[in-house]
Amino acid sequence: MTIKNYPWWKDSTVYQIWPASYKDSNGDGIGDIQGIISTLDYLEDLGISVVWLSPHYDSPQDDMGYDISDYESVYHKYGNMDDMNQLIDEVHKRDMKLILDLVINHTSDQHAWFKESKSSLTNPKRDWYIWRKPQYDSKGNRKPPTNWSSIFSGSAWNYDPTTDEYYLCLFAKSQPDLNWENEECRNAIYKSALEFWFKKGIDGFRIDVASMYSKASNSKGKFEDAPIIYPNQEFQPAGELTTNGPRIHEFHKEMFKKITSKYDVMTVGEVGFCSKQEALKYVSHAEKEMNMMFLFNVVCVGYDGDKFDFKGFNLKNFKDAVISQSDFAQGTDAWSTVFIENHDQARSVSRFGNTSTDELWNKSAKLLNMLEISLTGTLYIYQGQEIGMTNLPKNWSIDEYKDIETLNYWAKHKIEHPNDSESDLKLMQNIQITARDHARSPVQWDDSPNGGFTSGKPWMKVNENFTKINVKSQINDSNSILSFYKKSIQLRQLYKKLFIHGDFKILDYENEDLFSFIKSFEDSKSYIVLNFSNKTIPFKPLVDGELELLHTNVDTPEPGVLSPYEGRIYI
């Protein structure tokens, strides 16, 4: 492998900001752009080179900004366009980059395009969204065009009485899917959602649901019913009918050719799951579509399709997920991503570490960081991850949760299982493990009221452990998770050939306690051993030759054993 003349984004460390919960500057209880600007020195000191800002656009906020009503405006509670221009300038002053979220599978139903589209059957923008006529059963009851289920539960179709047709909404009913089959619509998307911001100087996009723009239909444009997976449910996951569709690569190539290739920018697509062959179509350099993508094998380990039907997992499952998420890029011209948290996933230390004691919380958060900094690809860190923020308290009721995905699922469950306390308890236990709200609670900056996030009433309750887990308590503590992250990022950059670009080989796949692997680049090698158990394990290196200890999460490593959640990185 050679790394000559590679682009800047390969070596980058990206920090994702979820604006509503990051930092509030004006006391209204909602994070904002000025709050972000006030922390840029903190991010620079941490070693961040790219800031990824989750949706900041004008929006009714039904789905926390993923329902966009105007691509060219800023949500007023986050600030205004002057604030965004200042953010772009301040990021660049620190030699960092800024990327935005690109949400172009759907808009809000309050977007001017959709208002026109739904106004009549003959409106010029009617075909900018996906409309279909109703079906009727033998009794004359009106039914949706297909049995597809929404990702947020219920039907993926919503009836509009104005024109007696249904529109497709694979997410919330207020998020109608755009019709990418319409070239005029695609060009409007490119101009409003991409080019507008590139001209302002932003450095790229994270592309939301990047595998879903192309829906499969027959030669007459008819959508087929999805296979029956859940026999007791009316609506079924659309699966391959709406993912990795027949024209998806054509659309991405067009977007690259018309827009992104004209700028020195990065694109990372949220793809989710796909085969190695499909992955290479998306992110092989030769294909000219996207630079890299997010696959969800790691963050979704333990559940298959339904995140609230959590099955649990073992370390072999976790290793399989790491392999699947990175293997497609090894020995190819593709590039991968390294992440273990984002706005859609629960906190990693609660899911993959151990928060039962302060010591194990500290060690396991560092252990997960050691895994991440050793893996090949562009590294992504989610806000609060660097201080070991945890899932929400288990004594919180469903009333404290805000996310549309969780609340819709709970409401559907209550209808299907009335007065079933045992079933309620099981679902609540799964919500406590996997709900998106765990990542969306406000960032804990200090031990003052509301964790220093806001001087007002926060839009969402701050995790009660903010007095213990916060930036202020860690920033000058050499033993803190935050200090560990800072050192880890420095080491990753110092040994970038090995850790960012090196080949990856697992040594102990069958071991249910230890995760050991080799990173290699030309004649250089690193040996990483991570104890993912809460017990002391006998340890003998699985490699020959002299080992130099480069990084560890314990003060004094003991010869011959690994303590619970101890990790070591050797050169």
Side-chain angles (χ1 to χ4, degrees):
M1 180 192 293
T2 60
I3 57 171
K4 295 178 181 178
N5 302 317
Y6 58 88
W8 57 266
W9 38 262
K10 286 194 172 184
D11 286 354
S12 292
T13 301
V14 185
Y15 188 92
Q16 182 189 358
I17 290 177
W18 182 254
S21 297
Y22 184 67
K23 181 71 170 167
D24 174 23
S25 71
N26 60 10
D28 68 353
I30 297 174
D32 49 46
I33 297 167
Q34 286 299 326
I36 296 169
I37 292 171
S38 73
T39 70
L40 290 178
D41 289 342
Y42 163 77
L43 297 179
E44 182 183 22
D45 185 63
L46 179 60
I48 301 304
S49 47
V50 178
V51 175
W52 156 22
L53 179 62
S54 291
H56 67 285
Y57 311 95
D58 202 9
S59 165
Q61 297 291 319
D62 286 351
D63 184 25
M64 295 300 297
Y66 283 93
D67 49 319
I68 296 171
S69 55
D70 187 348
Y71 290 108
E72 300 175 28
S73 295
V74 177
Y75 177 50
H76 68 278
K77 292 195 175 181
Y78 294 161
N80 56 38
M81 196 59 75
D82 288 339
D83 295 316
M84 274 302 297
N85 291 334
Q86 183 185 354
L87 176 62
I88 294 168
D89 291 342
E90 292 292 338
V91 168
H92 289 161
K93 280 180 187 176
R94 292 163 175 81
D95 292 324
M96 297 191 292
K97 309 279 190 181
L98 179 68
I99 68 171
L100 306 179
D101 237 292
L102 185 63
V103 187
I104 48 179
N105 175 72
H106 48 263
T107 67
S108 165
D109 60 2
Q110 298 305 304
H111 197 292
W113 296 347
F114 186 72
K115 288 181 178 180
E116 284 193 55
S117 183
K118 71 177 291 189
S119 65
S120 74
L121 293 169
T122 57
N123 186 277
K125 288 188 174 62
R126 181 66 175 183
D127 193 43
W128 284 31
Y129 293 83
I130 300 172
W131 295 93
R132 292 293 187 274
K133 295 184 181 303
Q135 295 189 95
Y136 292 91
D137 63 18
S138 59
K139 297 180 180 179
N141 297 310
R142 188 186 71 242
K143 297 285 187 181
T146 70
N147 69 344
W148 298 355
S149 64
S150 160
I151 290 165
F152 290 163
S153 77
S155 174
W157 297 91
N158 196 42
Y159 179 66
D160 176 43
T162 305
T163 55
D164 188 34
E165 287 192 347
Y166 285 83
Y167 62 85
L168 183 65
C169 44
L170 288 174
F171 293 87
K173 295 187 186 307
S174 58
Q175 292 172 294
D177 282 48
L178 287 155
N179 181 17
W180 275 70
E181 300 292 325
N182 185 304
E183 184 178 8
E184 186 182 11
C185 175
R186 295 199 305 275
N187 287 332
I189 292 169
Y190 301 153
K191 181 178 180 181
S192 186
L194 285 89
E195 198 164 37
F196 176 86
W197 290 100
F198 282 145
K199 287 181 177 179
K200 283 189 168 292
I202 66 116
D203 303 290
F205 286 106
R206 174 266 187 187
I207 307 176
D208 188 53
V209 294
S211 61
M212 296 180 69
Y213 311 149
S214 175
K215 282 74 172 176
S217 60
N218 64 21
S219 58
K220 296 181 180 179
K222 178 178 171 56
F223 295 126
E224 304 293 341
D225 276 348
I228 305 299
I229 297 175
Y230 303 108
N232 61 333
Q233 295 183 14
E234 181 179 3
F235 303 110
Q236 303 294 317
E240 295 180 358
L241 296 171
T242 58
T243 305
N244 304 319
R247 297 186 68 188
I248 192 67
H249 297 293
E250 176 190 342
F251 295 152
H252 279 295
K253 283 177 169 61
E254 179 183 79
M255 185 159 55
F256 176 85
K257 182 177 181 180
K258 287 188 173 182
I259 305 295
T260 55
S261 62
K262 299 176 181 178
Y263 302 89
D264 179 21
V265 294
M266 64 173 278
T267 52
V268 51
E270 181 191 32
V271 172
F273 299 94
C274 65
S275 66
K276 180 176 180 177
Q277 292 72 26
E278 194 74 30
L280 292 175
K281 292 179 184 178
Y282 281 111
V283 294
S284 164
H285 177 72
E287 293 292 344
K288 293 182 169 53
E289 292 192 16
M290 300 181 293
N291 301 136
M292 61 191 106
M293 64 182 175
F294 293 129
L295 293 177
F296 292 163
N297 303 76
V298 170
V299 293
C300 291
V301 69
Y303 55 88
D304 182 19
D306 185 348
K307 73 191 301 178
F308 297 119
D309 185 21
F310 185 70
K311 307 291 188 185
F313 61 93
N314 57 38
L315 189 58
K316 284 173 65 177
N317 299 147
F318 188 75
K319 292 174 184 178
D320 284 335
V322 172
I323 293 168
S324 297
Q325 197 160 306
S326 58
D327 185 55
F328 71 90
Q330 193 150 301
T332 73
D333 67 347
W335 193 242
S336 57
T337 58
V338 182
F339 72 103
I340 201 167
E341 283 190 25
N342 64 28
H343 62 287
D344 283 335
Q345 308 298 334
R347 289 294 182 177
S348 58
V349 70
S350 294
R351 287 210 50 209
F352 308 115
N354 190 323
T355 60
S356 62
T357 69
D358 288 352
E359 180 188 8
L360 293 180
W361 159 75
N362 184 292
K363 285 178 70 176
S364 61
K366 293 174 180 177
L367 185 85
L368 292 167
N369 175 243
M370 295 173 75
L371 172 65
E372 283 200 282
I373 65 151
S374 304
L375 296 176
T376 299
T378 300
L379 176 62
Y380 290 77
I381 297 169
Y382 180 71
Q383 62 183 43
Q385 181 183 341
E386 76 278 14
I387 59 170
M389 282 182 64
T390 67
N391 277 4
L392 303 175
K394 291 186 177 180
N395 62 352
W396 282 16
S397 72
I398 192 67
D399 297 330
E400 298 292 353
Y401 289 78
K402 306 292 185 184
D403 178 44
I404 189 172
E405 180 185 47
T406 301
L407 297 181
N408 281 3
Y409 197 101
W410 180 262
K412 174 172 171 281
H413 165 82
K414 294 296 287 183
I415 292 170
E416 294 175 351
H417 302 86
N419 304 314
D420 188 345
S421 57
E422 185 177 341
S423 179
D424 290 351
L425 177 62
K426 182 180 178 182
L427 175 55
M428 198 65 212
Q429 288 172 338
N430 286 342
I431 287 172
Q432 291 165 357
I433 296 171
T434 62
R436 302 198 299 186
D437 276 315
H438 297 300
R440 300 181 179 191
S441 64
V443 172
Q444 297 159 205
W445 292 100
D446 58 40
D447 58 359
S448 67
N450 299 318
F453 162 69
T454 181
S455 60
K457 182 180 179 181
W459 75 274
M460 179 184 182
K461 192 174 175 182
V462 179
N463 195 323
E464 293 161 8
N465 61 18
F466 73 86
T467 56
K468 181 183 73 173
I469 302 175
N470 61 72
V471 172
K472 183 181 178 182
S473 68
Q474 296 190 28
I475 200 161
N476 295 315
D477 177 3
S478 61
N479 191 46
S480 70
I481 296 167
L482 178 58
S483 296
F484 193 87
Y485 261 75
K486 184 176 178 180
K487 181 180 179 182
S488 294
I489 293 170
Q490 291 170 346
L491 287 172
R492 182 173 168 84
Q493 292 297 320
L494 188 62
Y495 295 89
K496 64 176 65 177
K497 288 183 179 180
L498 270 177
F499 297 135
I500 301 178
H501 298 270
D503 288 333
F504 166 80
K505 180 183 178 183
I506 289 182
L507 299 178
D508 58 355
Y509 174 75
E510 297 295 334
N511 195 312
E512 294 285 9
D513 297 314
L514 299 185
F515 191 166
S516 303
F517 57 94
I518 290 284
K519 290 299 297 293
S520 58
F521 184 91
E522 296 175 347
D523 295 332
S524 301
K525 287 187 178 182
S526 178
Y527 170 50
I528 298 93
V529 57
L530 309 167
N531 181 3
F532 271 85
S533 77
N534 59 3
K535 53 191 176 184
T536 299
I537 303 289
F539 168 60
K540 181 180 179 181
L542 298 178
V543 293
D544 298 323
E546 186 179 346
L547 295 176
E548 176 191 345
L549 184 62
L550 179 68
H551 200 27
T552 181
N553 60 347
V554 298
D555 292 333
T556 308
E558 213 177 308
V561 296
L562 289 169
S563 62
Y565 295 98
E566 180 180 346
R568 300 180 192 179
I569 298 177
Y570 293 98
I571 294 294

